[in-house]
C-alpha cells in the first residue's frame, strides 16, 4: 500500500508539471518601426537619414549582406578607422575588395538609430547634385530585422517588427499574391522565378538598378552567344560602382507568383552569385506594392490598383 500511495503522488506531481509546461499561444503582432519617404535616382532606391548627426541619403539594398559607407563619408566626417576589423566585399562582377572598417558614432534611418558601430567602407555610386549626398547603403545586417513594405508608386518604404505570425498572415489584405521565399546566405532572400518554362533562383536585390541573369544560366535557358550578340549592350554598374558589360535580352515569358510578364527585358551579364541564378532588382519593385517578409519567409504582392 505505501508503494501505491507514493506512485499516486508521483502521478499528481507529473501531471502538475505537464499542465504547467503547456505553451502559451502568442498573438501575431505587427508594429511599424519606420516609414521612409523614398525616391529612385538613376535606378537607385534612396531614403533620407543621418550619419554622425549630419543629413545623408542611404541606398536601401536588400542584396547587400552588410551596411557600408563610402570613403568620401570617412573623409567628410573625419571618421576613425577600426584597426581591429576588416571587411571583404564580393562584387557581383566577381571582384574581391578587402578594406578596413570605420567607427560610426550614430547612423539614423527613419527615426531608427544605431550607435557606436563598426561599418565597412567601400565603393558607392556618385550622384551629381544629390542633396543631401549619398554616403552609404543599408544592407541585410540591418534590414533583415524587419519586414519591408515597398510601396514605390506612393514613394514610400516602411519597416515593421513582426512576431509570431503564421500562415494566416496577410499584411496587404486581399487580393494579394503570396509567394514563398528561400533564405539565402547571411540574411538575403531569394524567390523562384519561371523564365520560359524553367525555374531559376532570383536574389531580391533592391540595390540593383536592373534585374540581371547570369550568362551561363541564360545559355541554359536556350539563349546562345549568337543571339546575345544581337541584343543591345548594357554598360552599367551596381551599387559597388564596378562596371560590368552585359546584353539586354527579351525573354518570352517570366512568371513571378501569379504574375506573367511577356517579352520581358532582363540584363544578361557575367554575374558572380554564390547562391542564385539572377538578381530581381529595383526595376521590378518600382511599379509594385510589395511586402517582403523576413519574419515569415514570404513575399506579398498587391494586385493592380492596391
Amino acid at each position: 500500500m505505501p508503494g501505491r500511495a507514493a506512485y499516486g503522488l508521483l502521478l499528481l506531481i507529473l501531471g502538475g508539471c505537464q499542465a504547467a509546461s503547456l505553451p502559451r499561444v502568442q498573438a501575431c503582432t505587427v508594429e511599424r518601426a519606420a516609414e521612409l519617404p523614398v525616391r529612385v535616382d538613376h535606378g537607385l532606391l534612396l531614403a533620407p537619414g543621418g550619419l554622425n548627426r549630419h543629413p545623408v541619403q542611404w541606398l536601401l539594398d536588400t542584396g547587400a549582406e552588410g551596411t557600408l559607407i563610402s570613403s568620401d563619408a570617412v573623409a567628410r566626417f573625419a571618421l576613425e578607422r577600426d584597426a581591429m576589423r576588416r571587411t571583404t566585399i564580393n562584387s557581383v562582377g566577381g571582384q574581391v575588395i578587402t578594406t578596413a572598417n570605420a567607427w560610426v558614432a550614430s547612423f539614423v534611418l527613419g527615426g531608427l538609430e544605431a550607435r557606436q558601430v563598426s561599418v565597412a567602407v567601400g565603393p558607392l555610386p556618385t550622384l551629381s547634385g544629390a542633396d543631401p549626398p549619398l554616403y552609404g547603403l543599408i544592407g541585410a545586417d540591418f534590414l533583415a530585422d524587419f519586414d519591408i513594405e515597398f510601396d514605390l508608386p506612393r514613394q514610400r518604404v516602411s519597416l515593421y517588427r513582426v512576431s509570431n505570425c503564421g500562415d494566416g498572415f496577410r499584411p496587404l489584405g486581399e487580393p494579394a499574391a503570396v509567394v514563398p521565399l528561400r533564405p539565402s546566405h547571411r540574411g538575403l532572400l531569394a524567390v523562384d522565378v519561371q523564365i520560359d518554362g524553367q525555374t531559376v533562383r532570383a536574389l531580391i536585390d533592391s540595390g540593383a538598378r536592373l534585374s540581371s541573369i547570369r550568362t551561363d544560366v541564360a545559355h541554359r535557358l536556350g539563349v546562345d552567344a549568337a543571339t546575345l550578340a544581337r541584343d543591345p549592350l548594357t554598360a552599367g554598374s551596381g551599387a559597388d560602382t564596378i562596371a560590368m558589360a552585359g546584353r539586354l535580352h527579351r525573354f518570352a515569358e517570366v512568371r513571378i507568383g501569379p504574375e506573367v510578364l511577356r517579352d520581358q527585358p532582363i540584363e544578361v551579364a557575367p554575374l558572380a552569385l554564390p547562391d542564385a541564378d539572377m538578381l530581381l532588382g529595383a526595376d521590378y519593385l518600382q511599379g509594385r506594392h510589395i511586402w517582403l517578409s523576413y519574419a515569415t519567409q514570404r513575399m506579398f504582392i498587391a494586385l493592380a490598383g492596391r
Side-chain angles (χ1 to χ4, degrees), residues 3-305:
R4 290 183 181 181
Y7 183 66
L9 180 61
L10 179 61
L11 286 177
L12 288 173
I13 293 172
L14 287 176
C17 292
Q18 289 171 350
S21 65
L22 290 176
R24 292 184 178 181
V25 177
Q26 300 275 340
C28 171
T29 61
V30 180
E31 175 194 0
R32 177 151 46 196
E35 182 172 323
L36 315 170
V38 297
R39 66 188 184 91
V40 179
D41 189 337
H42 293 80
L44 301 176
L45 183 56
L46 306 180
L51 179 61
N52 282 11
R53 310 301 180 186
H54 297 277
V56 300
Q57 291 189 83
W58 296 111
L59 169 63
L60 302 181
D61 193 348
T62 61
E65 295 174 4
T67 297
L68 176 148
I69 58 174
S70 68
S71 54
D72 288 343
V74 174
R76 169 69 176 81
F77 303 120
L79 301 181
E80 179 186 355
R81 290 284 187 164
D82 182 353
M84 303 299 293
R85 293 183 178 88
R86 299 175 68 82
T87 299
T88 298
I89 301 167
N90 296 297
S91 162
V92 295
Q95 294 84 358
V96 178
I97 304 167
T98 301
T99 178
N101 284 19
W103 283 105
V104 172
S106 166
F107 81 74
V108 174
L109 178 69
L112 299 170
E113 183 179 21
R115 296 185 179 183
Q116 295 300 327
V117 289
S118 178
V119 179
V121 179
L124 278 176
T126 300
L127 299 179
S128 59
D131 186 22
L134 173 63
Y135 276 142
L137 67 80
I138 306 295
D141 59 335
F142 182 88
L143 296 174
D145 289 338
F146 305 92
D147 276 18
I148 309 175
E149 181 185 14
F150 292 98
D151 192 357
L152 298 192
R154 295 180 177 87
Q155 297 184 306
R156 69 187 184 201
V157 169
S158 298
L159 305 181
Y160 295 86
R161 294 185 179 93
V162 175
S163 301
N164 306 310
C165 295
D167 291 341
F169 183 50
R170 293 293 185 273
L172 299 183
E174 301 290 354
V178 183
V179 182
L181 299 175
R182 295 176 178 269
S184 187
H185 58 295
R186 297 187 181 179
L188 307 186
L189 293 175
V191 60
D192 284 346
V193 176
Q194 301 287 324
I195 300 182
D196 292 346
Q198 297 190 51
T199 301
V200 301
R201 179 175 291 190
L203 192 69
I204 300 174
D205 187 357
S206 62
R209 292 180 169 95
L210 292 176
S211 295
S212 306
I213 192 167
R214 286 174 15 209
T215 305
D216 63 311
V217 177
H219 290 335
R220 190 183 80 203
L221 296 175
V223 184
D224 58 25
T227 300
L228 285 176
R230 295 191 294 270
D231 287 329
L233 277 168
T234 60
S237 62
D240 55 23
T241 75
I242 298 173
M244 182 172 51
R247 297 279 181 171
L248 194 65
H249 182 76
R250 290 187 174 273
F251 290 86
E253 183 180 278
V254 177
R255 291 179 177 266
I256 303 173
E259 185 177 19
V260 179
L261 308 173
R262 303 193 187 280
D263 196 29
Q264 180 66 22
I266 299 177
E267 181 185 44
V268 178
L271 306 173
L273 303 176
D275 195 28
D277 301 313
M278 68 173 289
L279 303 175
L280 194 61
D283 56 335
Y284 172 75
L285 298 172
Q286 278 187 51
R288 294 172 175 81
H289 184 187
I290 288 175
W291 184 295
L292 191 64
S293 180
Y294 288 86
T296 68
Q297 305 283 285
R298 288 179 292 174
M299 179 168 66
F300 303 87
I301 309 170
L303 300 186

